[in-house]
Amino acid sequence: MGFGELLEQVGSTGRFQVLHTTLLLIPMMLMASHDLLQNFVALVPPHFCNAHTNLSQSQMSAEEALLVTVPLDQTGKPERCLRYAAPQWHLLTKNRSSSSGKEGDTNAGLDVDLQGCSDGWTYNMTHMKSTIISDWNLVCDQQSLKQMGQTVYMGGALLGSVVFGGLSDRYGRRILLLISHLLMAVSGTCAAFSTAFPLFCLFRFGCGMAMSGVVLNTFSLIVEWIPTSVRTIVGTTTGYCYTVGQLMLALIAYFIRDWRWLTLAFSLPFFVFFLIAWWFHESSRWLVMSNNPEQAIKNLKSVAKFNGRKEEGEKIDMKRLQETMKKEMSCSQGTHSVLDLFRTPTMRRMTICLSAVWLSTSFAYYGIAMDLQKFGVDIYLIQVIFGAVDIPAKVVMVVSMTYIGRRTSQSGTLIIAGTTVLINLLIPYDKQTARTCMAVLGKGCFAASYNCCYLYSGELFPTIIRMAWAGYP
């Protein structure tokens, strides 16, 4: 049985595993909040051009200044990015003398010069007191910078997965988890105090890197201290922590409507998590594979003592460790790389298939969940709905995997989710309710697929890697 036999000897599901897993999962709730923070800190409020400078000191009301400054679009709403080159005083006279008729008709038949918002914008801050959009005027010609902010964050996540994944195999999961917690705390705090958009992007890039480091090393530390029999349950629980994080985001954002304080609220706790992480035990399996069996034995004895099995733990010595993990220790003598995952047909097929599923699931999941404002529904309500739909979706997925199988369940959810996305393309944009319902169904299916991906990867990839190390044909 290898390491699993030693784990059973010191207690594989004892008090240590419960406390260890719980403390590791708490930060995972805030990972969802950081992933989707852009929905609130980059919320685009209704806006229109400021009045001309010579109107700023006038005694007109805000409505009158808007009337003579900003033209109306085809729906009768003020244009967001254009204003009259000069105040249209005749519109004010017409508006006062008119007692009936549509407001949108005040611009009918006019041939006037328009210009951009050279004096800035006025924002209607109904949902948030401030956002990065209103603070740095990321609208009109600068509106693409909103997407750039999220792209930079995901770029950090991409780089972090490569860097922290490789470093954790060399230097250990615990030390990289400590670094990731500290990086998230510092980067998030600095992002909240950013004075310019480029600085904000820089620190959000650090948050993205930290997010990957936290997720990868948390999952590794959890899986390597629990038996295979409970990995499905723990993997599902991990998915629900992400769901709870989405609901927490909506709740906290509802009460904290300033983007700086909201960013701080989800970043400062990582200083506490950094301190807690010093208690975590390094994976004894990794220690053995890294030719550090003495520390592995020490950690196993510590776990046995914590689980009330001190006598069993004292029986573990170097001889016992070598006999039990002879195969694993022999595999650790060589050098290995990610190329081992493509060395044989079986491993190559499994790696490519899992990577393709991860890519399609993540692409669609985040594409739906990271821009909720486009659905035209109250941003707090839609965040709750999109978070809550994960709960039944993941329950159905667990039941389906149990009775139907993982491969069938995975493919089924992807087919249904893809169908809902295609149907949504055919629904007229003004049918917001129908579009939102289809999006919620699709997001639930992608969430279920995401959960299945985690379980698949957590169980298959360690097996694939061990097969590669052992020279499995």
Side-chain angles (χ1 to χ4, degrees), residues 47-71 78-80 82-89 115-123:
H47 55 276
F48 48 84
C49 296
N50 282 335
H52 298 80
T53 305
N54 60 344
L55 293 181
S56 59
Q57 303 297 326
S58 67
Q59 299 300 316
M60 290 190 303
S61 66
E63 291 77 10
E64 290 175 332
L66 176 64
L67 181 63
V68 301
T69 302
V70 180
E79 285 280 0
R80 291 189 168 194
L82 294 173
R83 72 174 185 179
Y84 297 120
Q88 303 296 300
W89 300 110
Q115 63 179 198
C117 303
S118 56
D119 292 319
W121 290 262
T122 297
Y123 296 94

mmCIF file of all heavy atoms in Angstrom, residues 47-71 78-80 82-89 115-123:
data_model
loop_
_atom_site.group_PDB
_atom_site.id
_atom_site.type_symbol
_atom_site.label_atom_id
_atom_site.label_comp_id
_atom_site.label_asym_id
_atom_site.label_seq_id
_atom_site.Cartn_x
_atom_site.Cartn_y
_atom_site.Cartn_z
ATOM 1 N N HIS A 47 -23.311 56.781 -16.959
ATOM 2 C CA HIS A 47 -22.496 57.984 -17.010
ATOM 3 C C HIS A 47 -22.826 58.800 -18.250
ATOM 4 O O HIS A 47 -23.393 58.286 -19.221
ATOM 5 C CB HIS A 47 -20.998 57.635 -17.010
ATOM 6 C CG HIS A 47 -20.605 56.696 -18.107
ATOM 7 N ND1 HIS A 47 -20.736 55.322 -17.991
ATOM 8 C CD2 HIS A 47 -20.098 56.920 -19.361
ATOM 9 C CE1 HIS A 47 -20.327 54.747 -19.104
ATOM 10 N NE2 HIS A 47 -19.941 55.693 -19.953
ATOM 11 N N PHE A 48 -22.479 60.059 -18.200
ATOM 12 C CA PHE A 48 -22.626 60.953 -19.341
ATOM 13 C C PHE A 48 -21.621 62.091 -19.185
ATOM 14 O O PHE A 48 -21.027 62.274 -18.111
ATOM 15 C CB PHE A 48 -24.054 61.494 -19.455
ATOM 16 C CG PHE A 48 -24.620 62.038 -18.171
ATOM 17 C CD1 PHE A 48 -24.349 63.350 -17.778
ATOM 18 C CD2 PHE A 48 -25.399 61.251 -17.350
ATOM 19 C CE1 PHE A 48 -24.857 63.851 -16.601
ATOM 20 C CE2 PHE A 48 -25.906 61.741 -16.163
ATOM 21 C CZ PHE A 48 -25.643 63.049 -15.777
ATOM 22 N N CYS A 49 -21.440 62.859 -20.236
ATOM 23 C CA CYS A 49 -20.419 63.916 -20.237
ATOM 24 C C CYS A 49 -20.762 65.011 -19.232
ATOM 25 O O CYS A 49 -21.937 65.352 -19.027
ATOM 26 C CB CYS A 49 -20.310 64.553 -21.619
ATOM 27 S SG CYS A 49 -19.749 63.429 -22.916
ATOM 28 N N ASN A 50 -19.715 65.550 -18.618
ATOM 29 C CA ASN A 50 -19.903 66.723 -17.770
ATOM 30 C C ASN A 50 -20.355 67.908 -18.610
ATOM 31 O O ASN A 50 -20.089 67.990 -19.819
ATOM 32 C CB ASN A 50 -18.604 67.086 -17.055
ATOM 33 C CG ASN A 50 -18.340 66.177 -15.865
ATOM 34 O OD1 ASN A 50 -19.263 65.605 -15.291
ATOM 35 N ND2 ASN A 50 -17.077 66.049 -15.495
ATOM 36 N N ALA A 51 -21.021 68.846 -17.935
ATOM 37 C CA ALA A 51 -21.457 70.068 -18.614
ATOM 38 C C ALA A 51 -20.247 70.902 -19.010
ATOM 39 O O ALA A 51 -19.149 70.746 -18.467
ATOM 40 C CB ALA A 51 -22.392 70.863 -17.714
ATOM 41 N N HIS A 52 -20.440 71.795 -19.953
ATOM 42 C CA HIS A 52 -19.374 72.684 -20.377
ATOM 43 C C HIS A 52 -18.901 73.529 -19.199
ATOM 44 O O HIS A 52 -19.665 73.821 -18.267
ATOM 45 C CB HIS A 52 -19.845 73.602 -21.509
ATOM 46 C CG HIS A 52 -20.250 72.843 -22.742
ATOM 47 N ND1 HIS A 52 -21.483 72.226 -22.859
ATOM 48 C CD2 HIS A 52 -19.580 72.594 -23.904
ATOM 49 C CE1 HIS A 52 -21.556 71.644 -24.053
ATOM 50 N NE2 HIS A 52 -20.419 71.847 -24.702
ATOM 51 N N THR A 53 -17.676 73.968 -19.281
ATOM 52 C CA THR A 53 -17.084 74.714 -18.175
ATOM 53 C C THR A 53 -17.877 75.966 -17.851
ATOM 54 O O THR A 53 -18.070 76.315 -16.679
ATOM 55 C CB THR A 53 -15.634 75.096 -18.513
ATOM 56 O OG1 THR A 53 -14.904 73.909 -18.843
ATOM 57 C CG2 THR A 53 -14.960 75.772 -17.328
ATOM 58 N N ASN A 54 -18.397 76.643 -18.857
ATOM 59 C CA ASN A 54 -19.128 77.892 -18.608
ATOM 60 C C ASN A 54 -20.503 77.659 -18.002
ATOM 61 O O ASN A 54 -21.192 78.602 -17.636
ATOM 62 C CB ASN A 54 -19.266 78.704 -19.900
ATOM 63 C CG ASN A 54 -20.009 77.927 -20.975
ATOM 64 O OD1 ASN A 54 -20.163 76.722 -20.877
ATOM 65 N ND2 ASN A 54 -20.458 78.645 -22.012
ATOM 66 N N LEU A 55 -20.924 76.397 -17.900
ATOM 67 C CA LEU A 55 -22.204 76.088 -17.261
ATOM 68 C C LEU A 55 -22.039 75.678 -15.808
ATOM 69 O O LEU A 55 -23.018 75.596 -15.067
ATOM 70 C CB LEU A 55 -22.916 74.954 -18.015
ATOM 71 C CG LEU A 55 -23.415 75.248 -19.427
ATOM 72 C CD1 LEU A 55 -24.105 74.020 -19.995
ATOM 73 C CD2 LEU A 55 -24.373 76.428 -19.419
ATOM 74 N N SER A 56 -20.799 75.393 -15.404
ATOM 75 C CA SER A 56 -20.583 74.846 -14.072
ATOM 76 C C SER A 56 -20.954 75.833 -12.973
ATOM 77 O O SER A 56 -21.273 75.438 -11.857
ATOM 78 C CB SER A 56 -19.114 74.421 -13.908
ATOM 79 O OG SER A 56 -18.259 75.541 -14.113
ATOM 80 N N GLN A 57 -20.898 77.136 -13.287
ATOM 81 C CA GLN A 57 -21.206 78.144 -12.278
ATOM 82 C C GLN A 57 -22.628 78.703 -12.425
ATOM 83 O O GLN A 57 -23.000 79.634 -11.712
ATOM 84 C CB GLN A 57 -20.195 79.303 -12.376
ATOM 85 C CG GLN A 57 -18.741 78.879 -12.224
ATOM 86 C CD GLN A 57 -18.458 78.280 -10.866
ATOM 87 O OE1 GLN A 57 -19.041 78.684 -9.856
ATOM 88 N NE2 GLN A 57 -17.556 77.297 -10.835
ATOM 89 N N SER A 58 -23.386 78.156 -13.358
ATOM 90 C CA SER A 58 -24.733 78.676 -13.589
ATOM 91 C C SER A 58 -25.689 78.182 -12.527
ATOM 92 O O SER A 58 -25.389 77.282 -11.741
ATOM 93 C CB SER A 58 -25.224 78.258 -14.976
ATOM 94 O OG SER A 58 -25.406 76.852 -15.014
ATOM 95 N N GLN A 59 -26.880 78.772 -12.515
ATOM 96 C CA GLN A 59 -27.899 78.436 -11.521
ATOM 97 C C GLN A 59 -28.876 77.380 -12.032
ATOM 98 O O GLN A 59 -29.906 77.140 -11.415
ATOM 99 C CB GLN A 59 -28.675 79.708 -11.134
ATOM 100 C CG GLN A 59 -27.815 80.800 -10.525
ATOM 101 C CD GLN A 59 -27.125 80.337 -9.263
ATOM 102 O OE1 GLN A 59 -27.729 79.683 -8.407
ATOM 103 N NE2 GLN A 59 -25.838 80.656 -9.139
ATOM 104 N N MET A 60 -28.566 76.759 -13.171
ATOM 105 C CA MET A 60 -29.463 75.742 -13.707
ATOM 106 C C MET A 60 -29.424 74.479 -12.850
ATOM 107 O O MET A 60 -28.418 74.172 -12.199
ATOM 108 C CB MET A 60 -29.071 75.390 -15.144
ATOM 109 C CG MET A 60 -29.343 76.481 -16.158
ATOM 110 S SD MET A 60 -29.112 75.861 -17.838
ATOM 111 C CE MET A 60 -27.441 75.274 -17.766
ATOM 112 N N SER A 61 -30.516 73.746 -12.899
ATOM 113 C CA SER A 61 -30.549 72.456 -12.210
ATOM 114 C C SER A 61 -29.729 71.440 -12.996
ATOM 115 O O SER A 61 -29.377 71.668 -14.158
ATOM 116 C CB SER A 61 -31.990 71.968 -12.069
ATOM 117 O OG SER A 61 -32.538 71.679 -13.353
ATOM 118 N N ALA A 62 -29.447 70.329 -12.366
ATOM 119 C CA ALA A 62 -28.665 69.283 -13.023
ATOM 120 C C ALA A 62 -29.400 68.748 -14.245
ATOM 121 O O ALA A 62 -28.785 68.443 -15.276
ATOM 122 C CB ALA A 62 -28.371 68.152 -12.038
ATOM 123 N N GLU A 63 -30.743 68.650 -14.159
ATOM 124 C CA GLU A 63 -31.526 68.150 -15.284
ATOM 125 C C GLU A 63 -31.463 69.109 -16.471
ATOM 126 O O GLU A 63 -31.355 68.681 -17.627
ATOM 127 C CB GLU A 63 -32.984 67.930 -14.863
ATOM 128 C CG GLU A 63 -33.202 66.782 -13.890
ATOM 129 C CD GLU A 63 -32.799 67.152 -12.465
ATOM 130 O OE1 GLU A 63 -32.525 68.351 -12.211
ATOM 131 O OE2 GLU A 63 -32.745 66.238 -11.609
ATOM 132 N N GLU A 64 -31.516 70.398 -16.180
ATOM 133 C CA GLU A 64 -31.464 71.383 -17.262
ATOM 134 C C GLU A 64 -30.078 71.424 -17.904
ATOM 135 O O GLU A 64 -29.952 71.530 -19.125
ATOM 136 C CB GLU A 64 -31.833 72.760 -16.710
ATOM 137 C CG GLU A 64 -33.300 72.881 -16.317
ATOM 138 C CD GLU A 64 -33.615 74.208 -15.673
ATOM 139 O OE1 GLU A 64 -32.701 74.800 -15.046
ATOM 140 O OE2 GLU A 64 -34.772 74.670 -15.789
ATOM 141 N N ALA A 65 -29.040 71.324 -17.086
ATOM 142 C CA ALA A 65 -27.690 71.308 -17.630
ATOM 143 C C ALA A 65 -27.469 70.089 -18.513
ATOM 144 O O ALA A 65 -26.829 70.164 -19.565
ATOM 145 C CB ALA A 65 -26.666 71.325 -16.488
ATOM 146 N N LEU A 66 -28.025 68.950 -18.095
ATOM 147 C CA LEU A 66 -27.909 67.739 -18.895
ATOM 148 C C LEU A 66 -28.630 67.892 -20.224
ATOM 149 O O LEU A 66 -28.141 67.463 -21.276
ATOM 150 C CB LEU A 66 -28.481 66.549 -18.113
ATOM 151 C CG LEU A 66 -28.522 65.202 -18.830
ATOM 152 C CD1 LEU A 66 -27.110 64.727 -19.150
ATOM 153 C CD2 LEU A 66 -29.233 64.154 -17.967
ATOM 154 N N LEU A 67 -29.795 68.548 -20.205
ATOM 155 C CA LEU A 67 -30.599 68.700 -21.408
ATOM 156 C C LEU A 67 -29.872 69.503 -22.485
ATOM 157 O O LEU A 67 -29.909 69.147 -23.671
ATOM 158 C CB LEU A 67 -31.932 69.372 -21.058
ATOM 159 C CG LEU A 67 -32.911 69.596 -22.218
ATOM 160 C CD1 LEU A 67 -33.355 68.262 -22.806
ATOM 161 C CD2 LEU A 67 -34.112 70.418 -21.756
ATOM 162 N N VAL A 68 -29.199 70.571 -22.097
ATOM 163 C CA VAL A 68 -28.557 71.434 -23.089
ATOM 164 C C VAL A 68 -27.137 70.974 -23.414
ATOM 165 O O VAL A 68 -26.498 71.538 -24.305
ATOM 166 C CB VAL A 68 -28.505 72.900 -22.589
ATOM 167 C CG1 VAL A 68 -29.908 73.418 -22.321
ATOM 168 C CG2 VAL A 68 -27.624 73.040 -21.347
ATOM 169 N N THR A 69 -26.653 69.951 -22.700
ATOM 170 C CA THR A 69 -25.271 69.505 -22.884
ATOM 171 C C THR A 69 -25.151 68.193 -23.634
ATOM 172 O O THR A 69 -24.295 68.036 -24.507
ATOM 173 C CB THR A 69 -24.574 69.353 -21.520
ATOM 174 O OG1 THR A 69 -24.612 70.601 -20.838
ATOM 175 C CG2 THR A 69 -23.129 68.914 -21.689
ATOM 176 N N VAL A 70 -26.022 67.233 -23.298
ATOM 177 C CA VAL A 70 -25.857 65.860 -23.785
ATOM 178 C C VAL A 70 -27.041 65.471 -24.666
ATOM 179 O O VAL A 70 -28.203 65.598 -24.247
ATOM 180 C CB VAL A 70 -25.742 64.872 -22.599
ATOM 181 C CG1 VAL A 70 -25.575 63.453 -23.114
ATOM 182 C CG2 VAL A 70 -24.571 65.260 -21.698
ATOM 183 N N PRO A 71 -26.793 65.000 -25.896
ATOM 184 C CA PRO A 71 -27.888 64.513 -26.749
ATOM 185 C C PRO A 71 -28.421 63.182 -26.245
ATOM 186 O O PRO A 71 -27.790 62.520 -25.412
ATOM 187 C CB PRO A 71 -27.217 64.368 -28.110
ATOM 188 C CG PRO A 71 -25.785 64.080 -27.787
ATOM 189 C CD PRO A 71 -25.474 64.887 -26.549
ATOM 190 N N PRO A 78 -29.519 59.608 -22.162
ATOM 191 C CA PRO A 78 -28.365 60.462 -22.518
ATOM 192 C C PRO A 78 -27.230 59.637 -23.115
ATOM 193 O O PRO A 78 -26.932 58.535 -22.658
ATOM 194 C CB PRO A 78 -27.965 61.075 -21.165
ATOM 195 C CG PRO A 78 -29.189 60.985 -20.317
ATOM 196 C CD PRO A 78 -29.891 59.735 -20.739
ATOM 197 N N GLU A 79 -26.614 60.193 -24.159
ATOM 198 C CA GLU A 79 -25.430 59.556 -24.739
ATOM 199 C C GLU A 79 -24.329 59.467 -23.679
ATOM 200 O O GLU A 79 -24.142 60.376 -22.881
ATOM 201 C CB GLU A 79 -24.923 60.367 -25.933
ATOM 202 C CG GLU A 79 -25.760 60.230 -27.177
ATOM 203 C CD GLU A 79 -25.454 58.943 -27.939
ATOM 204 O OE1 GLU A 79 -24.579 58.181 -27.477
ATOM 205 O OE2 GLU A 79 -26.080 58.710 -28.979
ATOM 206 N N ARG A 80 -23.588 58.359 -23.711
ATOM 207 C CA ARG A 80 -22.562 58.168 -22.698
ATOM 208 C C ARG A 80 -21.236 58.829 -23.055
ATOM 209 O O ARG A 80 -20.459 59.175 -22.174
ATOM 210 C CB ARG A 80 -22.328 56.671 -22.467
ATOM 211 C CG ARG A 80 -23.494 55.966 -21.794
ATOM 212 C CD ARG A 80 -23.109 54.558 -21.394
ATOM 213 N NE ARG A 80 -24.088 53.948 -20.513
ATOM 214 C CZ ARG A 80 -23.881 52.846 -19.814
ATOM 215 N NH1 ARG A 80 -22.712 52.230 -19.919
ATOM 216 N NH2 ARG A 80 -24.806 52.360 -19.027
ATOM 217 N N LEU A 82 -20.749 61.262 -25.822
ATOM 218 C CA LEU A 82 -20.826 62.446 -26.677
ATOM 219 C C LEU A 82 -21.587 63.563 -25.981
ATOM 220 O O LEU A 82 -22.449 63.314 -25.137
ATOM 221 C CB LEU A 82 -21.527 62.110 -28.006
ATOM 222 C CG LEU A 82 -20.810 61.129 -28.949
ATOM 223 C CD1 LEU A 82 -21.727 60.782 -30.114
ATOM 224 C CD2 LEU A 82 -19.494 61.715 -29.451
ATOM 225 N N ARG A 83 -21.257 64.779 -26.353
ATOM 226 C CA ARG A 83 -22.007 65.944 -25.894
ATOM 227 C C ARG A 83 -22.014 66.987 -27.014
ATOM 228 O O ARG A 83 -21.262 66.875 -27.988
ATOM 229 C CB ARG A 83 -21.392 66.535 -24.629
ATOM 230 C CG ARG A 83 -20.073 67.253 -24.850
ATOM 231 C CD ARG A 83 -19.586 67.929 -23.595
ATOM 232 N NE ARG A 83 -18.372 68.723 -23.849
ATOM 233 C CZ ARG A 83 -17.742 69.434 -22.932
ATOM 234 N NH1 ARG A 83 -18.187 69.444 -21.681
ATOM 235 N NH2 ARG A 83 -16.665 70.128 -23.253
ATOM 236 N N TYR A 84 -22.868 67.975 -26.875
ATOM 237 C CA TYR A 84 -22.905 69.054 -27.858
ATOM 238 C C TYR A 84 -21.620 69.869 -27.778
ATOM 239 O O TYR A 84 -21.077 70.096 -26.688
ATOM 240 C CB TYR A 84 -24.097 69.972 -27.609
ATOM 241 C CG TYR A 84 -25.443 69.284 -27.760
ATOM 242 C CD1 TYR A 84 -26.331 69.214 -26.688
ATOM 243 C CD2 TYR A 84 -25.824 68.726 -28.976
ATOM 244 C CE1 TYR A 84 -27.566 68.614 -26.813
ATOM 245 C CE2 TYR A 84 -27.054 68.110 -29.108
ATOM 246 C CZ TYR A 84 -27.913 68.037 -28.021
ATOM 247 O OH TYR A 84 -29.125 67.427 -28.155
ATOM 248 N N ALA A 85 -21.144 70.300 -28.938
ATOM 249 C CA ALA A 85 -19.942 71.133 -28.957
ATOM 250 C C ALA A 85 -20.187 72.471 -28.258
ATOM 251 O O ALA A 85 -19.261 73.070 -27.693
ATOM 252 C CB ALA A 85 -19.485 71.378 -30.394
ATOM 253 N N ALA A 86 -21.445 72.928 -28.266
ATOM 254 C CA ALA A 86 -21.839 74.154 -27.556
ATOM 255 C C ALA A 86 -23.207 73.920 -26.934
ATOM 256 O O ALA A 86 -24.012 73.145 -27.476
ATOM 257 C CB ALA A 86 -21.875 75.345 -28.519
ATOM 258 N N PRO A 87 -23.509 74.546 -25.811
ATOM 259 C CA PRO A 87 -24.821 74.347 -25.168
ATOM 260 C C PRO A 87 -25.968 74.686 -26.111
ATOM 261 O O PRO A 87 -25.926 75.690 -26.827
ATOM 262 C CB PRO A 87 -24.780 75.319 -23.978
ATOM 263 C CG PRO A 87 -23.322 75.522 -23.700
ATOM 264 C CD PRO A 87 -22.636 75.458 -25.040
ATOM 265 N N GLN A 88 -26.980 73.853 -26.125
ATOM 266 C CA GLN A 88 -28.146 74.042 -26.985
ATOM 267 C C GLN A 88 -29.265 74.697 -26.185
ATOM 268 O O GLN A 88 -30.167 74.050 -25.661
ATOM 269 C CB GLN A 88 -28.592 72.696 -27.568
ATOM 270 C CG GLN A 88 -27.504 71.971 -28.338
ATOM 271 C CD GLN A 88 -27.063 72.737 -29.567
ATOM 272 O OE1 GLN A 88 -27.877 73.008 -30.468
ATOM 273 N NE2 GLN A 88 -25.784 73.117 -29.624
ATOM 274 N N TRP A 89 -29.190 76.043 -26.066
ATOM 275 C CA TRP A 89 -30.134 76.757 -25.203
ATOM 276 C C TRP A 89 -31.569 76.635 -25.692
ATOM 277 O O TRP A 89 -32.513 76.674 -24.877
ATOM 278 C CB TRP A 89 -29.746 78.229 -25.136
ATOM 279 C CG TRP A 89 -28.366 78.448 -24.582
ATOM 280 C CD1 TRP A 89 -27.271 78.880 -25.263
ATOM 281 C CD2 TRP A 89 -27.940 78.230 -23.243
ATOM 282 N NE1 TRP A 89 -26.179 78.945 -24.445
ATOM 283 C CE2 TRP A 89 -26.564 78.547 -23.179
ATOM 284 C CE3 TRP A 89 -28.573 77.787 -22.078
ATOM 285 C CZ2 TRP A 89 -25.820 78.454 -22.010
ATOM 286 C CZ3 TRP A 89 -27.843 77.693 -20.911
ATOM 287 C CH2 TRP A 89 -26.480 78.018 -20.874
ATOM 288 N N GLN A 115 -19.071 66.409 -29.760
ATOM 289 C CA GLN A 115 -17.679 66.206 -29.379
ATOM 290 C C GLN A 115 -17.604 65.187 -28.236
ATOM 291 O O GLN A 115 -18.625 64.834 -27.643
ATOM 292 C CB GLN A 115 -17.035 67.522 -28.936
ATOM 293 C CG GLN A 115 -17.663 68.125 -27.705
ATOM 294 C CD GLN A 115 -17.000 69.422 -27.259
ATOM 295 O OE1 GLN A 115 -17.176 69.831 -26.130
ATOM 296 N NE2 GLN A 115 -16.251 70.087 -28.142
ATOM 297 N N GLY A 116 -16.402 64.754 -27.948
ATOM 298 C CA GLY A 116 -16.208 63.838 -26.837
ATOM 299 C C GLY A 116 -16.299 64.546 -25.502
ATOM 300 O O GLY A 116 -16.486 65.767 -25.427
ATOM 301 N N CYS A 117 -16.145 63.766 -24.451
ATOM 302 C CA CYS A 117 -16.305 64.304 -23.094
ATOM 303 C C CYS A 117 -14.975 64.881 -22.605
ATOM 304 O O CYS A 117 -14.281 64.288 -21.765
ATOM 305 C CB CYS A 117 -16.794 63.218 -22.148
ATOM 306 S SG CYS A 117 -18.351 62.449 -22.657
ATOM 307 N N SER A 118 -14.631 66.040 -23.147
ATOM 308 C CA SER A 118 -13.332 66.639 -22.822
ATOM 309 C C SER A 118 -13.248 67.142 -21.394
ATOM 310 O O SER A 118 -12.148 67.354 -20.873
ATOM 311 C CB SER A 118 -13.040 67.795 -23.794
ATOM 312 O OG SER A 118 -14.098 68.751 -23.770
ATOM 313 N N ASP A 119 -14.387 67.369 -20.738
ATOM 314 C CA ASP A 119 -14.385 67.837 -19.346
ATOM 315 C C ASP A 119 -14.717 66.723 -18.358
ATOM 316 O O ASP A 119 -15.063 66.986 -17.196
ATOM 317 C CB ASP A 119 -15.406 68.975 -19.171
ATOM 318 C CG ASP A 119 -14.980 70.225 -19.927
ATOM 319 O OD1 ASP A 119 -13.776 70.540 -19.897
ATOM 320 O OD2 ASP A 119 -15.838 70.871 -20.556
ATOM 321 N N GLY A 120 -14.621 65.483 -18.792
ATOM 322 C CA GLY A 120 -14.872 64.367 -17.890
ATOM 323 C C GLY A 120 -16.301 63.893 -17.920
ATOM 324 O O GLY A 120 -17.094 64.271 -18.794
ATOM 325 N N TRP A 121 -16.648 63.060 -16.943
ATOM 326 C CA TRP A 121 -17.956 62.420 -16.917
ATOM 327 C C TRP A 121 -18.629 62.604 -15.555
ATOM 328 O O TRP A 121 -17.961 62.790 -14.529
ATOM 329 C CB TRP A 121 -17.836 60.915 -17.185
ATOM 330 C CG TRP A 121 -17.462 60.571 -18.588
ATOM 331 C CD1 TRP A 121 -18.293 60.205 -19.597
ATOM 332 C CD2 TRP A 121 -16.137 60.544 -19.137
ATOM 333 N NE1 TRP A 121 -17.584 59.964 -20.749
ATOM 334 C CE2 TRP A 121 -16.247 60.159 -20.498
ATOM 335 C CE3 TRP A 121 -14.869 60.806 -18.624
ATOM 336 C CZ2 TRP A 121 -15.158 60.037 -21.333
ATOM 337 C CZ3 TRP A 121 -13.771 60.695 -19.454
ATOM 338 C CH2 TRP A 121 -13.924 60.307 -20.802
ATOM 339 N N THR A 122 -19.926 62.513 -15.584
ATOM 340 C CA THR A 122 -20.719 62.446 -14.358
ATOM 341 C C THR A 122 -21.240 61.018 -14.226
ATOM 342 O O THR A 122 -21.767 60.447 -15.188
ATOM 343 C CB THR A 122 -21.903 63.423 -14.404
ATOM 344 O OG1 THR A 122 -21.398 64.765 -14.474
ATOM 345 C CG2 THR A 122 -22.780 63.283 -13.158
ATOM 346 N N TYR A 123 -21.091 60.432 -13.031
ATOM 347 C CA TYR A 123 -21.465 59.036 -12.812
ATOM 348 C C TYR A 123 -22.646 58.940 -11.859
ATOM 349 O O TYR A 123 -22.729 59.680 -10.870
ATOM 350 C CB TYR A 123 -20.284 58.256 -12.229
ATOM 351 C CG TYR A 123 -19.088 58.173 -13.156
ATOM 352 C CD1 TYR A 123 -18.052 59.102 -13.073
ATOM 353 C CD2 TYR A 123 -19.001 57.175 -14.118
ATOM 354 C CE1 TYR A 123 -16.966 59.032 -13.928
ATOM 355 C CE2 TYR A 123 -17.916 57.094 -14.979
ATOM 356 C CZ TYR A 123 -16.900 58.035 -14.876
ATOM 357 O OH TYR A 123 -15.828 57.963 -15.729
#
